[in-house]
Amino acid sequence: MAAPTSIQDPRRPEAWVWVYFATVGIVVALMMVFGLVMRLGQAGLIELPLTWFYQLMTMHGVGMVGISGVGGAAILYHFLSQHVELSRKIFIANFVLFLIGAVLLLGPSLLGSYAGAWTFLYPLPQNSGGQWAPSAAAIHLTGLALVGVGFLLFHLDNARAILARYGSLGNALGWPQLFGNSSEEPPPASVVAGTMVLIVNILGLVSGASIIVLSIVGILNPSFEIDALLAKNMIYMFGHVFINATIYMSVTAVYELLPLYTGRPWKVNKVFLAAWNISTIFVVIVYPHHLLMDFAQPTWLHVLGQVISYGSGFPVLVVTAFGALTLIHRSGIRWTAASGFLVLSMFGWSAGVIPAVVDGTIAANQVMHNTQWVPGHFHFYLVLGLVSMFFGFALHYSRGTGDSAADRVALWTYAIAGLGFTCAFLAAGAQSVPRRWAIHLEEWHGIALVGSVFGALVVVATLLLVVRIAVRARSVA
Amino acid sequence: MTIQATATLISFAGIALMVGIFLFVLARSGDEAAYDTVQPRAYSLRKQLFFILLAGFFIVPALTLRHLPYSPDGVESTVVDVTAHQWRWEISQTDFTAGESVLFRVGSADVNHGFAIYDDTNRVLAQVQAMPGYVNEIAFKFDDPGTYRIMCLEYCGLVHHGMLAALSVTDARETL
Ligand SMILES: [Cu+2]
């Protein structure tokens, strides 16, 4: 089958999906600007008041993680609702809780000097060394809890709808086809992805909610002590799962849209199902690789952390990236800014896993943990992988009369600058530059400057794309 | 070669390989062929890739898990107590001789910190977390004389970047 000359896609995102995406565009652009300001500060080009660096860092981290969830949820909702009856009310409730939560999350940093980092490691929020009031931390964590509750509702509603249609989560994960030789059609890719994500994210959110509540109790009553190592385990379990789930939700855009551009179907087969089932387990238990430098933990847990981090991302990643490349290869794909971003997202995800796995190796972690290698690897995933999925989705549904030259220029600028930006982080990490330092030694300024230049280009391309998508979406409407 | 250099080489080579693969597929995407001719070849390639990754899944841990930093290796060590504070290091001994094995017992008086030993070219040699309620023990042998720096590698608040300390290591012969 030859690639189509025009892309027929009768599914139009409903208005609330666009509301989600308008928010994604604004917040991502704003948080990128915060990130750029931090990088310029590290390059010694601007002198940021000390407290502001860490306040911006806190807002950038929590803002980006939260908005990644919002974008992922919008994409998943759009495709999942083609197959099951989702509740629009819950979808709206999640958005409202996110907005209220966002005000509570950012307000304490904007007005109350709060800078506990998005990882809120106990007991830093309540023990700032005089920098912020414990009440600021309590408000911030309440905001985090509200956002978490919103996502919990969203995933519970997905569970309800999937169970109503497929009877069990096992059926929705394709167990009858995988283990039982069922001749029935396997569930669509979006249903498999949605089921995997609801399982892992509900577990992660429960862990997160528990430690958030405990932390708030600790702030209100400092004599209530939490085990710092237990807190760290619960936080990383929640944080790791949540940010990974954003990609697993958003990748449905690749499964559903790339076939339209290549004229080739994305088949759900046994290999696909096996990969998603294995990753469901691994994603939940892989987080100990964040604690490799906590020597107090038993050694077997560290070894497990390394070994599982080797296996965790691979099944779905290999099946997805390889599947995408197979779909494209000699397909006569219709290249547009949308299909370009979907392909870029596959590159970002599959190349970004390499420095991640390296860092998950204990021997390397010992000298690279908490250097800028770490932001290097996750910005690779997020800038080139996740945000590219967002752009691909939004450009596809706002295609209207098609691309302008500006869209192509923005795509290539974003891709090249994004690669340069993330590689500057990795190179800095290789030079042992610590992460999360407001002020850098002079010898580290050069690489921060390189990162800043590429970062500025990423910001420019992003602003251009957000404006273009808004214009294109209006012309569609 | 340092661990950092090896890790960087592997990573950048891998990233470059991915760039190459994607550009190759991009370049050939317009040269249309039927999916039934592309797909079987891709699936057999995927099977090979699967076995390569599976082999790596066993071989790489076997190679990299042999030397773990967690248990001190039984060498007679100088014991040094380290307590992290917002925002300074309290270290019971800061002068050592080259070749000396030291067991750092690292704790924290307030929040999480990261105890990282840097050499005089500002390269990380080893690190361990410093956390309240726990003592993390890390063994370290000072091979060469010189000044070593301690930097904080876990965000701990306003002056996180200012948590610096110095350790001085003198040549064993000079101290005789
Ligand atoms: Cu610190």
Side-chain angles (χ1 to χ4, degrees):
Chain A
M1 186 166 74
T5 44
S6 72
I7 308 297
Q8 296 300 321
D9 185 4
R11 304 164 297 191
R12 286 279 170 78
E14 58 176 274
W16 277 97
V17 171
W18 281 118
V19 173
Y20 267 63
F21 256 88
T23 316
V24 169
I26 294 165
V27 175
V28 165
L30 182 66
M31 293 301 146
M32 277 184 176
V33 171
F34 284 6
L36 177 60
V37 171
M38 286 154 62
R39 210 74 181 101
L40 289 167
Q42 291 179 335
L45 284 179
I46 56 172
E47 214 168 303
L48 217 53
L50 203 53
T51 65
W52 269 99
F53 178 91
Y54 293 117
Q55 286 156 230
L56 287 174
M57 182 188 87
T58 300
M59 290 190 282
H60 175 85
V62 79
M64 282 301 199
V65 172
I67 205 65
S68 298
V70 169
I75 293 177
L76 180 64
Y77 176 87
H78 172 66
F79 293 117
L80 195 54
S81 60
Q82 326 278 331
H83 309 289
V84 300
E85 291 277 331
L86 296 177
S87 156
R88 183 180 293 115
K89 280 190 185 133
I90 296 283
F91 189 57
I92 298 169
N94 181 27
F95 183 74
V96 173
L97 282 167
F98 174 80
L99 283 191
I100 301 170
V103 172
L104 298 181
L105 280 169
L106 304 184
S109 292
L110 289 170
L111 309 171
S113 315
Y114 179 71
W118 88 271
T119 40
F120 66 98
L121 286 187
Y122 175 85
L124 181 60
Q126 70 186 63
N127 201 345
S128 69
Q131 166 66 8
W132 61 83
S135 59
I139 294 170
H140 176 92
L141 290 174
T142 305
L144 198 57
L146 285 182
V147 173
V149 168
F151 279 99
L152 198 56
L153 289 176
F154 173 74
H155 291 299
L156 286 172
D157 184 59
N158 291 351
R160 178 202 53 73
I162 287 171
L163 287 174
R165 169 82 171 74
Y166 292 91
S168 76
L169 296 180
N171 288 344
L173 284 171
W175 289 2
Q177 289 77 13
L178 191 55
F179 305 117
N181 279 329
S182 162
S183 56
E184 262 181 70
E185 270 290 294
S190 305
V191 172
V192 177
T195 308
M196 180 265 210
V197 171
L198 79 87
I199 293 170
V200 302
N201 238 2
I202 288 174
L203 291 172
L205 285 164
V206 166
S207 169
S210 313
I211 187 59
I212 290 167
V213 169
L214 288 175
S215 298
I216 293 174
V217 172
I219 291 167
L220 301 177
N221 175 12
S223 69
F224 175 80
E225 272 189 43
I226 306 167
D227 184 300
L229 189 54
L230 176 69
K232 209 186 243 184
N233 272 278
M234 294 171 80
I235 289 168
Y236 285 135
M237 151 84 190
F238 152 68
H240 182 91
V241 167
F242 189 87
I243 195 65
N244 273 264
T246 64
I247 285 201
Y248 290 120
M249 291 192 276
S250 307
V251 74
T252 52
V254 177
Y255 295 150
E256 300 271 359
L257 300 181
L258 206 52
L260 300 175
Y261 289 89
T262 59
R264 294 172 174 179
W266 193 296
K267 286 280 286 176
V268 173
N269 51 26
K270 278 197 181 190
V271 173
F272 180 93
L273 293 171
W276 276 86
N277 276 277
I278 294 169
S279 284
T280 305
I281 300 165
F282 276 5
V283 166
V284 177
I285 56 174
V286 70
Y287 80 88
H289 70 192
H290 291 273
L291 294 117
L292 297 176
M293 292 302 113
D294 284 285
F295 288 22
Q297 299 227 88
T299 300
W300 63 264
L301 206 57
H302 298 304
V303 171
L304 211 64
Q306 170 173 334
V307 172
I308 294 171
S309 80
Y310 281 22
S312 166
F314 276 117
V316 167
L317 172 62
V318 170
V319 164
T320 304
F322 207 88
L325 286 172
T326 308
L327 227 56
I328 301 161
H329 188 56
R330 305 190 63 183
S331 64
I333 180 175
R334 244 175 75 99
W335 286 114
T336 67
S339 60
F341 267 111
L342 293 173
V343 174
L344 177 62
S345 79
M346 291 291 95
F347 165 75
W349 194 12
S350 32
V353 80
I354 298 164
V357 163
V358 166
D359 188 48
T361 307
I362 296 167
N365 194 264
Q366 171 100 109
V367 295
M368 301 180 101
H369 180 65
N370 279 354
T371 66
Q372 287 197 334
W373 189 269
V374 180
H377 96 68
F378 69 70
H379 278 87
F380 215 118
Y381 283 134
L382 298 176
V383 173
L384 293 168
L386 182 75
V387 176
S388 296
M389 291 172 189
F390 291 173
F391 280 137
F393 178 88
L395 285 162
H396 172 79
Y397 284 112
S398 64
R399 64 193 180 283
T401 51
D403 290 354
S404 74
D407 300 320
R408 304 296 183 98
V409 170
L411 164 64
W412 281 100
T413 307
Y414 187 88
I416 292 165
L419 187 60
F421 173 73
T422 45
C423 285
F425 264 142
L426 292 174
Q431 292 173 43
S432 297
V433 178
R435 77 183 284 203
R436 293 178 161 169
W437 271 32
I439 296 168
H440 279 193
L441 304 182
E442 219 161 274
E443 61 191 273
W444 296 333
H445 284 181
I447 193 69
L449 177 64
V450 174
S452 300
V453 171
F454 282 122
L457 287 170
V458 171
V459 170
V460 169
T462 299
L463 290 173
L464 181 59
L465 283 160
V466 169
V467 170
R468 280 289 305 153
I469 290 166
V471 170
R472 288 165 56 135
R474 276 189 58 188
S475 78
V476 170
Chain B
M1 199 150 73
T2 64
I3 297 171
Q4 283 97 332
T6 312
T8 309
L9 193 69
I10 292 171
S11 300
F12 280 103
I15 291 168
L17 179 68
M18 295 305 299
V19 171
I21 291 171
F22 273 80
L23 287 182
F24 170 78
V25 173
L26 241 63
R28 297 214 57 195
S29 66
D31 176 18
E32 275 183 61
Y35 196 32
D36 355 345
T37 62
V38 172
Q39 204 179 26
R41 284 190 55 203
Y43 278 5
S44 86
L45 205 63
R46 187 173 71 182
K47 198 177 266 175
Q48 289 169 30
L49 181 67
F50 173 78
F51 284 112
I52 292 170
L53 287 174
L54 195 67
F57 187 74
F58 289 101
I59 294 168
V60 178
L63 292 174
T64 58
L65 284 172
R66 282 184 300 182
H67 304 289
L68 295 179
Y70 303 119
S71 33
D73 48 11
V75 182
E76 188 79 13
S77 297
T78 311
V79 176
V80 173
D81 288 309
V82 177
T83 308
H85 300 262
Q86 280 168 319
W87 291 280
R88 64 193 168 82
W89 295 103
E90 185 189 332
I91 304 173
S92 66
Q93 179 185 335
T94 54
D95 292 311
F96 306 95
T97 49
E100 191 170 356
S101 290
V102 179
L103 183 71
F104 290 101
R105 295 167 40 84
V106 182
S108 168
D110 38 55
V111 299
N112 288 275
H113 301 270
F115 177 79
I117 304 170
Y118 277 70
D119 69 9
D120 54 7
T121 65
N122 287 327
R123 182 168 60 90
V124 178
L125 299 172
Q127 68 171 305
V128 69
Q129 289 274 301
M131 73 183 336
Y134 287 87
V135 175
N136 287 320
E137 295 188 344
I138 182 172
F140 187 81
K141 187 163 173 252
F142 290 101
D143 286 324
D144 303 308
T147 303
Y148 291 75
R149 287 175 105 169
I150 304 302
M151 301 193 197
C152 185
L153 282 190
E154 186 64 73
Y155 174 61
C156 56
L158 185 62
V159 201
H160 168 51
H161 56 277
M163 280 189 64
L164 304 171
L167 306 177
S168 147
V169 177
T170 47
D171 200 316
R173 280 160 302 180
E174 285 170 27
T175 57
L176 282 175

